[in-house]
Amino acid sequence: MKNASSNFGVTAWRLALAATASTLAMTPGLAAARDTAPGGAETGTAADPVENDQAGEIVITASKRDTSLQDATLSVTAVTAETLKESNITEITGLNGTVPGLVVARSGGGERLISIRGVGSETPENANTQPGVSFHVDGVYIFNSIAANAAFIDIAQVEVLRGPQGTTFGQGSTGGTINVVTNQPSTSGFAGDLSVGVGNYGLTQGSAALNVPVGQFAIRGAVQYQKRDGYAVATGVPGTSEYDLDDQNEIGWKLAAIWQPTDTLSVLLTTIQYEADTHGPAQKNILDPNPDPRVLTQDYPGRSIIDTELYYGVVRFDTGFAIAKSITSYQKLYSRQAWDGDGLTGDLFERNVLGGYKPALNGNPERLGARYDHVPLWQQNTESWTQEVNLSSTGDGPFSWIVGGVYLWSKNAQYIVEYRANTGDPYAPALPATTPYNSPLVPLVTYAELSEITREAYAGYVEASYELVDGLKLTAGLRYNHDSFSGVSDTNSGGPAITSGAYLQPTPTPGLTTTEWTGKAAIDYKLTPNNMIYFSYTRGFKPGGLNASAAGAAPQVLGFANGIRPTYQPETVNSFELGSKNSFAGGKGRLNLSAFYYDYSNLQFLDEDAILFGEGVANAPSAEIYGVEIEGGFKFDDHWSLDGSVSFTRGKFNADFLALDPAAAVLAQNAAGYYGTGEFFANFYAAALARDSARANINGNNVPKIPKVQGSATLGYQNIVAGGELTAKATVIYRGEYQYRLFNNSIYDTTPDYAQVNLFAQYAPEGSNLAFSLTVTNLFDKAGVNSRFSDPYGSAQTYETYIAPRQVLGTISYRF
């Protein structure tokens, strides 16, 4: 291990070992859950329902057979539907602070960047890169990060697996995996539920679900609707004094059907559809002079349209000696985003962003010229297929196994156009990609990209476990990953790059193929039926890819040693984890601990280039991450309970690499006297040298998106009051300070900590199917900063996005 003498690292391992030893004397509690076969896959386990046993044991489905959470030899958190409801969590961002090590940061447009233990995505607004945390719905891999925006529809629970899942879920899960498990149709009986809620900010919520069995068939349908006014307003948009941002207007529905002609055969077909049409997120420029975090001095009307379609089918057949599965999925995403690229009004942008005025020898300043930077269009169309087949062992013997193969195909078409100018209509619509090069709008383009990247991948995996003696088990797995990328692209920066035809003319990009072996080795020992310790080694992998804008970057144009290359390398994580899972006091208590160390190589991040608008993906060579996580709960009596989690994490880069922060590049260019786009291209080589001189060594910098401390605690109370059941809960969530990017720029990257308090109360009259609830989130109306991100393109502005303000929601629900 690198820097093994680190005080924090030593303390982390000692804490885990001490806590493990302390649990050995705890009173045995819950009975051991059933043994399970190992494994999982990129396209998952959609046909397996969620079950919780009578003792309250949580069962997770992110494997080929249901597994008790307390028996899984990895760090995993299951967030139940009840918890989501109590905290009014309707999409993935709401999980911030509730799961150890998880950070969901909002980025430009509708993006969500998901990180676990500091491993995730550092390539915002680049749809052709892969995530570091794979996202799944019912085990089906979701290809595009914007699709993670989709609301939680008819949810049973959300499973967060922390650490590389290189064998079970394959590439793209270097940091972990999130699996959203929905309720499945059941032949056991007719059932349904209905819920209606209203709240402040004009909030209206509604959901309904119905399960209808018909002999060997069952159909389940669900629909969900949410609408509210914005949490924030923009004050400079023409035609209105207050333009809503952070509003909500979405509808989603699910339809699933299952056929079970025999005890050994089942066929499941499901579709999940989601549509959202809003004014987009509130992205407040840190230079905004208005101190109110919910009031933005912006003049461009943002817009966000997201339309996702997911279809999947699962065939499951029990042969007697093994279970065979086929999982097929097809998915589509349409996304159309627009936002104020400078995050200010025209006069503020000209004065505060571009340096205001250029010095002149005669003392009279010269205006720079640009008064706006707007992104009228970032459009994506993604189409994807997945197919998996696998065979897993049955029975309760000492040996269990799984073997399978996965195929994935995805095509992502992307069109981006960004304007920056002092003249022309700043609210003009995005010009078509086929616009003639001599159109009067083309000179206003500061950046445009037209690309279509196709990805094809296949993998084979095998994993097996063997119980050497009673309670002692060895697990080993191996996976072969093969990924290939090809496509066409063209970019335009600062005006027409050609002299005839359309201003964007995509041409074939250099192809790229990557192969990688990943796997797992683990040993676990049950000290008692309720106390287990484990040690694991896992390897995670994220494939490399293509840089669409690399054709104009410095190494190719100027021969610089540094700069953006046409391709970037795969990213890998070697993880070592020591953990303990324990239940005690007759099942009333639970305490899970883990300590981990990561050897992280070739972290993919968005780097600036010496050439203006030459951004692309680069690789930071090496980093180490280590930490401790604690989760637990205790039921004091029939009324009171306490649940909580906390994580302590550190991460540092430990190898030399010269990276270029866009903000530093602009300052260096201006300091050299080459102001703005025009003067850069008029003094091309000298200006590029000036920008390149701002590179800084990241060795010793903090790995981004790692709060040193984060956690939550929930105090619960249940009792019979006035002939009905009363449930009340109070939750405190804390997320510590972290660095948003690896540049660790104190002005742009330091994302401050925040704490929030949530309250929930529900009353269910005895003998009635009705329930009345009240939810208050962010009780003290804190303006906590969710993320502080710098737009890697265009004017490279830095924005803050905030957690939701105080939200009060009253709900009436009926279940039958």
Side-chain angles (χ1 to χ4, degrees):
M1 296 182 186
K2 302 179 181 70
N3 301 331
S5 62
S6 165
N7 290 335
F8 182 85
V10 173
T11 302
W13 289 101
R14 287 176 176 171
L15 277 173
L17 290 170
T20 300
S22 70
T23 60
L24 302 185
M26 293 178 176
T27 305
L30 294 174
R34 58 189 176 275
D35 290 339
T36 59
E42 217 153 29
T43 54
T45 57
D48 299 327
V50 176
E51 297 177 0
N52 294 335
D53 69 22
Q54 293 179 352
E57 185 77 3
I58 295 176
V59 175
I60 60 171
T61 66
S63 61
K64 287 305 169 185
R65 296 171 63 188
D66 297 350
T67 305
S68 165
L69 184 147
Q70 293 300 99
D71 282 350
T73 56
L74 75 164
S75 297
V76 56
T77 299
V79 184
T80 64
E82 289 75 14
T83 299
L84 297 174
K85 174 186 175 182
E86 292 162 2
S87 299
N88 193 28
I89 297 174
T90 60
E91 51 95 17
I92 191 69
T93 310
L95 294 178
N96 268 310
T98 63
V99 177
L102 174 67
V103 172
V104 184
R106 299 174 67 177
S107 185
E111 274 195 307
R112 300 293 188 270
L113 301 182
I114 306 171
S115 297
I116 297 178
R117 297 173 174 175
V119 181
S121 174
E122 294 303 313
T123 55
E125 300 175 32
N126 191 320
N128 297 318
T129 58
Q130 301 305 302
V133 174
S134 58
F135 187 80
H136 306 255
V137 174
D138 283 332
V140 175
Y141 179 61
I142 304 301
F143 281 81
N144 193 297
S145 63
I146 290 181
N149 264 350
F152 290 160
I153 301 169
D154 197 25
I155 298 299
Q157 66 186 30
V158 179
E159 302 164 353
V160 183
L161 285 64
R162 306 191 294 279
Q165 308 297 315
T167 305
T168 55
F169 284 95
Q171 60 76 37
S173 60
T174 46
T177 290
I178 295 177
N179 185 35
V180 177
V181 183
T182 71
N183 294 304
Q184 299 299 325
S186 172
T187 58
S188 62
F190 184 81
D193 59 77
L194 178 67
S195 176
V196 177
V198 294
N200 58 338
Y201 291 94
L203 174 63
T204 302
Q205 285 185 353
S207 65
L210 182 65
N211 185 85
V212 180
V214 184
Q216 299 172 339
F217 294 87
I219 298 175
R220 182 180 179 91
V223 63
Q224 183 170 297
Y225 172 77
Q226 299 187 86
K227 184 177 178 62
R228 62 164 167 76
D229 300 332
Y231 292 140
V233 296
T235 60
V237 176
T240 178
S241 59
E242 293 187 346
Y243 184 83
D244 267 11
L245 294 169
D246 269 343
D247 58 324
Q248 194 171 26
N249 180 22
E250 59 189 35
I251 187 169
W253 58 272
K254 186 188 82 169
L255 184 63
I258 193 167
W259 177 47
Q260 296 176 309
T262 69
D263 292 339
T264 60
L265 175 65
S266 67
V267 179
L268 173 71
L269 299 175
T270 304
T271 181
I272 300 176
Q273 310 274 328
Y274 169 81
E275 295 179 8
D277 186 349
T278 71
H279 288 174
Q283 302 173 169
K284 188 177 178 72
N285 195 313
I286 62 172
L287 300 175
D288 193 319
N290 192 319
D292 190 331
R294 312 289 182 187
V295 178
L296 286 64
T297 313
Q298 297 181 3
D299 57 6
Y300 190 78
R303 189 76 184 273
S304 175
I305 298 173
I306 299 173
D307 187 350
T308 67
E309 302 176 33
L310 173 61
Y311 308 86
Y312 61 86
V314 181
V315 179
R316 183 181 186 273
F317 180 63
D318 189 343
T319 67
F321 78 96
I323 294 175
K325 273 188 183 179
S326 171
I327 308 109
T328 306
S329 78
Y330 172 72
Q331 54 193 283
K332 294 177 67 177
L333 165 75
Y334 172 76
S335 169
R336 188 179 180 96
Q337 311 284 325
W339 66 92
D340 193 320
D342 54 72
L344 297 168
T345 56
D347 56 336
L348 291 173
F349 177 58
E350 182 181 33
R351 291 176 179 273
N352 297 332
V353 175
L354 298 178
Y357 297 91
K358 182 178 73 173
L361 294 177
N362 61 5
N364 295 319
E366 177 185 342
R367 286 179 57 172
L368 290 175
R371 292 183 57 82
Y372 63 84
D373 189 322
H374 296 157
V375 183
L377 183 63
W378 177 27
Q379 180 174 299
Q380 294 185 64
N381 285 279
T382 301
E383 183 179 13
S384 309
W385 285 93
T386 69
Q387 174 63 54
E388 178 185 358
V389 292
N390 62 69
L391 194 67
S392 59
S393 63
T394 59
D396 298 323
F399 182 65
S400 56
W401 52 268
I402 186 168
V403 61
V406 180
Y407 174 79
L408 304 96
W409 178 92
S410 180
K411 180 172 67 176
N412 185 76
Q414 177 169 266
Y415 177 46
I416 305 171
V417 61
E418 181 173 7
Y419 294 139
R420 181 195 295 177
N422 186 46
T423 59
D425 180 6
Y427 308 103
L431 66 165
T434 54
T435 300
Y437 82 98
N438 57 357
S439 164
L441 283 177
V442 171
L444 307 182
V445 172
T446 190
Y447 180 79
E449 177 186 327
L450 182 64
S451 63
E452 185 177 275
I453 302 299
T454 298
R455 175 188 169 214
E456 190 173 24
Y458 57 83
Y461 63 90
V462 60
E463 187 170 303
S465 293
Y466 185 74
E467 191 169 12
L468 299 174
V469 296
D470 188 27
L472 180 64
K473 184 187 293 183
L474 291 177
T475 300
L478 194 64
R479 185 185 188 102
Y480 175 74
N481 305 273
H482 181 281
D483 287 82
S484 61
F485 296 82
S486 61
V488 296
S489 70
D490 187 26
T491 61
N492 184 300
S493 301
I498 55 177
T499 58
S500 63
Y503 87 110
L504 287 174
Q505 298 180 9
T507 57
T509 62
L512 176 68
T513 298
T514 60
T515 60
E516 188 76 23
W517 290 92
T518 57
K520 175 180 182 177
I523 183 170
D524 65 273
Y525 181 60
K526 282 204 166 185
L527 303 158
T528 75
N530 308 291
N531 305 101
M532 183 259 281
I533 58 173
Y534 66 90
F535 179 79
S536 67
Y537 163 77
T538 54
R539 179 174 175 83
F541 160 73
K542 181 162 68 173
L546 306 174
N547 276 317
S549 61
Q556 286 68 46
V557 177
L558 303 177
F560 285 8
N562 304 301
I564 306 305
R565 266 65 178 179
T567 62
Y568 50 90
Q569 298 305 305
E571 180 178 297
T572 58
V573 171
N574 292 306
S575 166
F576 304 86
E577 181 169 324
L578 174 66
S580 173
K581 296 192 173 183
N582 312 274
S583 59
F584 56 95
K588 294 181 179 180
R590 173 178 55 88
L591 181 64
N592 297 340
L593 308 101
S594 60
F596 60 91
Y597 174 86
Y598 287 177
D599 181 9
Y600 196 1
S601 300
N602 285 327
L603 181 151
Q604 298 168 6
F605 73 101
L606 275 185
D607 199 12
E608 183 69 1
D609 194 78
I611 304 300
L612 198 61
F613 310 122
E615 305 89 349
V617 180
N619 294 99
S622 180
E624 64 175 359
I625 302 173
Y626 47 91
V628 173
E629 297 168 346
I630 305 170
E631 290 184 283
F634 192 80
K635 188 173 178 62
F636 298 99
D637 54 31
D638 291 339
H639 306 303
W640 293 95
S641 64
L642 180 66
D643 293 276
S645 66
V646 64
S647 60
F648 306 91
T649 314
R650 300 288 188 275
K652 294 282 187 180
F653 291 100
N654 56 8
D656 292 338
F657 186 84
L658 296 177
L660 182 57
D661 183 347
V666 170
L667 291 176
Q669 179 183 334
N670 289 348
Y674 307 115
Y675 292 82
T677 304
E679 293 201 10
F680 174 88
F681 287 104
N683 303 274
F684 189 85
Y685 190 79
L689 284 174
R691 289 168 56 85
D692 199 60
S693 68
R695 291 188 179 275
N697 196 343
I698 63 170
N699 195 346
N701 284 7
N702 290 324
V703 176
K705 300 179 183 65
I706 297 183
K708 293 181 180 179
V709 181
Q710 70 174 13
S712 65
T714 298
L715 179 65
Y717 177 78
Q718 283 185 308
N719 207 347
I720 301 300
V721 177
E725 185 179 51
L726 173 68
T727 302
K729 294 187 178 182
T731 300
V732 178
I733 297 173
Y734 175 76
R735 197 219 59 205
E737 176 185 295
Y738 68 85
Q739 296 295 314
Y740 191 83
R741 302 176 306 161
L742 57 70
F743 303 108
N744 286 196
N745 188 311
S746 60
I747 297 175
Y748 303 113
D749 293 326
T750 302
T751 306
D753 65 341
Y754 70 82
Q756 73 177 79
V757 176
N758 300 334
L759 301 178
F760 173 79
Q762 177 175 279
Y763 182 75
E766 189 176 4
S768 170
N769 292 333
L770 286 170
F772 306 88
S773 64
L774 179 69
T775 301
V776 182
T777 55
N778 195 1
L779 174 65
F780 299 107
D781 202 23
K782 298 292 186 180
V785 178
N786 167 265
S787 65
R788 177 178 252 213
F789 70 95
S790 293
D791 187 349
Y793 304 109
S795 54
Q797 294 307 288
T798 298
Y799 315 89
E800 288 184 330
T801 65
Y802 294 87
I803 64 173
R806 182 190 299 115
Q807 180 77 70
V808 181
L809 171 66
T811 304
I812 301 175
S813 57
Y814 179 77
R815 179 170 293 183
F816 57 92

